Amino acid sequence: MERIEKRKMDRISALPDSLIGHILSFLPTKTAVSTSLLSRRWRYLWQHLQDFNFQLDQDDQDQDQDEGEGEQYHWSFVHFSAFVNGVLVQRRNRDIRKFRLLSSYAVEGSFHERSLNYWLLAAIGPQLQHLDLSLYVVGPYNFMWFPSSSVLRGIFSCTSLISLTLDGLICVKNISSVHLPALRTMRLSIGGSFPMDKIFSGCPLLEDLYLHFNVRNTPKINFPNSLKRLEVHGCKLSTPREVEVEIDAPALEYLTFFLFIGLSQFTVNNLHNVKVADLNLCPRECQGEDHLYYIHMLLNALNRVKKLHLRSSTIEVGYSNLINILADSQLLIVALILCLSSASGHTWCPSF
């Protein structure tokens, strides 16, 4: 039995460095580095990685239960920072191709800010293709991270970047310019305001966009016409707000539109290539004649959609209104799904 296990290990270790490195690139960086303990053959292989996935695990933050919450989060981040710094210093391949950072930002302070800025500056370079930065909130803390001007300039002028994810309490409102000529996928779900028009205008090849925004600081959204997939989520607010939205996307095929606010103006054009649409527009307090008109306009623009999901808030315009809108529109629907949510939170989605 021992001989068989040894033979299996030898077969893996006999693979060329490039293939082992490719396998390690799919693992969390912490796991990839731990393979250095397997044998002398594996000791330095991780140092040639170009893909990094750093994650501050929840388990790491719960290890010191006797300490106060602020101290616990701080020391968890200190240990995490030591690991990330050690990996970045010891790597032998200076060009990073993929960089993912999932971390809490629960304690405001210069150490945290310097660490995040240093890691991002280390990642940004001529070979960087995928950047995923997610800062989540832990406990009662709600701090916003303000990247340095060098970090913002580096991210939004990285000509090799193909996909970009910014998620969490990250402030990017002070962007001077945007030049992302290769970017095709973008996910923005960040707190505070950010210059959407400036960002979108600097991404001429953008095809896949996920946007979760706060309407308080977003009076107008004009989506790029290069999109093939669009998913929009507007924050629910305690007081009614309105936003102006314009969609003109002749290449768009998949549309998800969850907007829990009023629309001061809604312009839609060239949505004839949309195959699947999932709509949830405006809660009851935002309804009115304009709301019905905008729903009618959107459904008319989606006249070639094959599969249409209508969520509960959209249906709350009233069944008679909805039937009239569907009848008046020029839809050629293969599948219509009405998703109804009960007060208990259960969802019923009959198909037609």
Side-chain angles (χ1 to χ4, degrees):
M1 186 68 180
E2 183 178 349
R3 185 176 300 172
I4 294 175
E5 292 296 329
K6 185 175 181 181
R7 192 178 304 153
K8 288 182 179 179
M9 175 183 266
D10 289 341
R11 288 178 61 185
I12 296 174
S13 298
L15 295 173
D17 289 357
S18 58
L19 184 53
I20 294 178
H22 182 66
I23 295 171
L24 293 180
S25 69
F26 291 98
L27 301 175
T29 303
K30 187 175 182 180
T31 304
V33 173
S34 67
T35 61
S36 62
L37 302 176
L38 292 176
S39 68
R40 185 178 300 175
R41 169 76 173 82
W42 290 74
R43 183 173 298 174
Y44 302 111
L45 290 178
W46 68 268
Q47 295 182 357
H48 298 276
L49 286 174
Q50 289 184 281
D51 299 1
F52 295 93
N53 182 357
F54 296 107
Q55 302 180 38
L56 178 55
D57 299 326
Q58 187 68 36
D59 294 340
D60 296 336
Q61 299 190 18
D62 294 337
Q63 60 188 355
D64 298 321
Q65 297 293 335
D66 295 334
E67 297 184 14
E69 283 189 324
E71 282 294 311
Q72 177 184 331
Y73 300 142
H74 172 73
W75 286 112
S76 296
F77 188 86
V78 168
H79 295 311
F80 177 67
S81 177
F83 172 73
V84 176
N85 290 336
V87 170
L88 294 178
V89 168
Q90 295 181 63
R91 62 193 170 99
R92 298 187 181 184
N93 195 325
R94 311 314 296 176
D95 292 325
I96 295 179
R97 181 175 53 208
K98 183 176 181 179
F99 190 84
R100 180 172 186 259
L101 175 64
L102 174 63
S103 173
S104 65
Y105 188 61
V107 180
E108 192 174 34
S110 59
F111 175 73
H112 292 70
E113 294 173 359
R114 285 199 308 270
S115 297
L116 294 171
N117 285 323
Y118 169 72
W119 299 337
L120 267 297
L121 288 175
I124 296 168
Q127 301 300 320
L128 184 64
Q129 297 180 358
H130 306 279
L131 178 60
D132 183 342
L133 176 60
S134 300
L135 299 182
Y136 58 89
V137 178
V138 178
Y141 306 101
N142 198 28
F143 298 119
M144 181 78 69
W145 177 53
F146 293 82
S148 68
S149 58
S150 298
V151 169
L152 287 178
R153 185 167 54 252
I155 292 176
F156 288 98
S157 63
C158 185
T159 57
S160 59
L161 206 58
I162 296 174
S163 69
L164 172 64
T165 296
L166 297 177
D167 188 1
L169 298 178
I170 307 168
C171 180
V172 298
K173 66 179 181 180
N174 296 322
I175 304 172
S176 58
S177 63
V178 177
H179 181 57
L180 299 171
L183 193 73
R184 295 184 179 274
T185 301
M186 179 185 290
R187 180 184 176 93
L188 293 176
S189 180
I190 53 183
S193 62
F194 50 96
M196 289 191 192
D197 287 345
K198 184 181 291 186
I199 292 175
F200 295 157
S201 64
C203 308
L205 299 182
L206 187 62
E207 296 179 346
D208 190 341
L209 173 64
Y210 174 96
L211 178 65
H212 189 281
F213 69 97
N214 187 334
V215 73
R216 286 190 182 94
N217 303 300
T218 312
K220 183 178 180 180
I221 308 175
N222 189 351
F223 293 102
N225 57 17
S226 59
L227 291 176
K228 293 183 178 180
R229 182 184 295 268
L230 173 62
E231 184 170 349
V232 180
H233 295 263
C235 294
K236 291 184 179 181
L237 301 173
S238 56
T239 56
R241 301 274 178 157
E242 291 189 339
V243 63
E244 182 179 338
V245 174
E246 181 176 343
I247 305 176
D248 187 347
L252 194 67
E253 297 181 2
Y254 301 93
L255 173 64
T256 299
F257 208 67
F258 285 23
L259 206 58
F260 299 103
I261 52 171
L263 294 167
S264 61
Q265 185 174 336
F266 191 35
T267 306
V268 287
N269 293 298
N270 293 320
L271 299 184
H272 48 270
N273 284 321
V274 175
K275 300 175 182 177
V276 180
D278 192 350
L279 308 178
N280 200 7
L281 297 177
C282 206
R284 185 170 299 165
E285 57 269 19
C286 294
Q287 292 175 8
E289 292 300 321
D290 287 342
H291 181 60
L292 293 174
Y293 172 72
Y294 292 144
I295 292 179
H296 195 178
M297 180 196 301
L298 181 56
L299 291 178
N300 272 329
L302 296 170
N303 55 10
R304 295 185 185 177
V305 68
K306 301 300 182 184
K307 189 173 184 179
L308 176 64
H309 296 249
L310 293 179
R311 303 285 172 168
S312 57
S313 293
T314 307
I315 299 171
E316 284 177 7
V317 301
Y319 287 107
S320 59
N321 288 327
L322 181 61
I323 291 173
N324 290 334
I325 290 174
L326 290 172
D328 291 341
S329 62
Q330 302 173 1
L331 289 170
L332 301 174
I333 303 174
V334 175
L336 172 63
I337 303 175
L338 304 180
C339 294
L340 309 174
S341 297
S342 66
S344 61
H346 293 93
T347 301
W348 177 53
C349 298
S351 299
F352 300 90

